[in-house]
Amino acid sequence: MDNAAEASDARRFAAEMLQKVTVRPVRQEEVPRWRSLMRNHHYLGLRSLVGETLYYVAEVEGRWVALLGWGAAALKVAARDRWIGWSAEQREKRLRFVTQNARFLLLPGPRVPNLASRILALNLHRLSTDWQSLHGHPIVLVETFVDPQRFEGTCYRAAGWTQLGATKGFGREGAGYCEHGEPKNMWVRPLCRQACAWLRAPFEVPALQGPATDVIDLNALPLSGRKGLLAVLATVPDARKRRGIRHSQVSVLAVAVCAVLAGHRGFRAMADFAASLTQDVLARLEARRCPHTGRRVAPSEPTLRRILERVDADALDRALGRFFASLTPVKGIAIDGKTLRGSGQDAMRPRHILAAVTHHSAVMLAQREIPDKTNEITHARPLLDELDLRGKVVTADAMHTQREFASYLVDEKGADFVFTAKDNQRQLRRSITTLPDWALSPPVHGTPQGPRSDREADNPAKHSLARSAAISSHRAGLPPRAGT
């Protein structure tokens, strides 16, 4: 009876431990205690952890029960590198997104089943976020080495880790490696499903650059093919003389476009981005090959500057507009004019640009500079002439609430629109307000039956803008009679 009671108490104690245990980073004033306990109780002791490090403590109601230490991942492990599938260049650039569980110690005390795996799971749940806060980048893969002469790695297996196999028994010593004759079993665990895909991707994915980065995933960008970026950039005329050309204009422009999409602004930032590209990526961008070494050469800052300053900006803008418009279905396009900040110097007036931008992805499809002594109204039609607007909704401010522009969008481009009708357009607002409900049943314009009412037959021009505005508002999902 006593044995049964003791067993019941032990199970109850274990369950309470598993529920109450928490894992948190060690505070700065606790580091000496953490290091002392690790040095005295871990079979490997502790001199120092290599690279970026993070110390954790597991505690139950304030009592320390376990210690964990994370450090730099191993530089080369054949089993791991094959499992990820990355190249040597990719490993060199992205090894920082992998960390190693260099130390894991359960402190002396009552042994609780499943406590080690529970602590590991709690630690991994917050590891990447803590790493981002401390070191400025996330972690997507963790690894560790287990000595098979001492442990079987049961807690790692229970926490969802995968054993990749045994190492060859070599260790890092200075700048080289030496054989120590003690192979270890390697275990890994991805912290997200896409970990391996991200680590071996040609371009660095935005998720590896930290949270809330306003950049585009270049891995999803079509580079080759008839509709790829390189083919589109090939349509931009090259005004350079053939003599002395080393880098192709297409390759340099492709590097510049990818740099801007990755969040790099300015010639120096573009050059730094180009220098960080791997040989595989440079080959995909058709970068020039050095005749002596055979390696691909990224364009330098002066090369990027010269080509971007000399290229036909309008032709490049039109080509990129067509390219981005073909990537994703565009349902809504906004046109608006803005003055470029910093474009005016001394007696030079600031430059004013009228642009057409997609609603959801904020991709610029076309832009035109507005000359002095003119306004945006006369440049709206030329801006949209080369765009396919059929079935799309165009939005603009009250300046463009013009009958001619509305007829152009509906009759010539096959588009709908949403315009603002202000109080100074009294007849238009009155017409919109007095439209019957059946006028919101598309399509009204262009029907062979002609006008739906005698009032429209008497004043077709007067009601054309109001009717089209009502139809466009209906298709765009806006409430009727909203004054648009």
Side-chain angles (χ1 to χ4, degrees), residues 335-484:
I335 60 173
D336 194 15
K338 297 295 181 184
T339 300
L340 296 182
R341 184 175 57 184
S343 59
Q345 297 179 358
D346 300 330
M348 183 185 301
R349 298 187 61 181
R351 302 176 65 183
H352 193 77
I353 301 294
L354 180 64
V357 184
T358 61
H359 275 219
H360 298 289
S361 55
V363 173
M364 184 181 296
L365 303 179
Q367 61 179 345
R368 287 177 64 90
E369 182 174 0
I370 308 300
D372 295 340
K373 300 180 181 180
T374 60
N375 56 38
E376 298 177 8
I377 298 176
T378 57
H379 291 269
R381 290 185 57 165
L383 175 73
L384 302 177
D385 275 340
E386 296 187 9
L387 299 181
D388 181 12
L389 303 180
R390 187 165 301 277
K392 299 177 177 60
V393 177
V394 178
T395 63
D397 54 27
M399 178 187 298
H400 297 280
T401 308
Q402 306 287 333
R403 183 179 298 109
E404 294 77 8
F405 188 46
S407 300
Y408 163 76
L409 290 175
V410 175
D411 300 330
E412 298 185 30
K413 303 297 289 186
D416 295 312
F417 61 86
V418 177
F419 290 164
T420 300
K422 290 189 174 181
D423 292 337
N424 58 355
Q425 295 176 302
R426 297 178 181 178
Q427 291 185 351
L428 175 60
R429 290 182 62 87
R430 188 181 304 112
S431 299
I432 294 175
T433 305
T434 57
L435 277 175
D437 292 338
W438 52 258
L440 298 178
S441 301
V444 176
H445 57 283
T447 57
Q449 291 80 5
R452 295 286 187 90
S453 69
D454 295 337
R455 181 179 56 185
E456 291 189 32
D458 296 336
N459 302 282
K462 174 182 177 182
H463 292 281
S464 61
L465 179 57
R467 181 182 59 197
S468 299
I471 296 168
S472 298
S473 299
H474 174 81
R475 294 183 181 179
L478 298 178
R481 307 188 188 282
T484 58

Side-chain angles (χ1 to χ4, degrees), residues 24-32 55 57 59:
R24 63 169 176 83
V26 173
R27 292 186 284 268
Q28 186 64 35
E29 63 272 15
E30 297 172 331
V31 171
Y55 300 159
V57 59
E59 57 185 6

Side-chain angles (χ1 to χ4, degrees), residues 75 86-98 137 199 201-204 208 272-282 295:
L75 183 60
W86 56 7
S87 65
E89 278 188 294
Q90 291 171 337
R91 180 186 64 215
E92 179 182 356
K93 296 180 181 298
R94 298 174 186 163
L95 193 62
R96 68 184 187 276
F97 302 115
V98 183
H137 63 84
L199 291 174
F203 294 95
E204 189 169 299
L208 296 181
D272 292 341
F273 169 82
S276 69
L277 299 178
T278 64
Q279 287 292 299
D280 175 62
V281 173
L282 290 175
R295 292 178 58 83

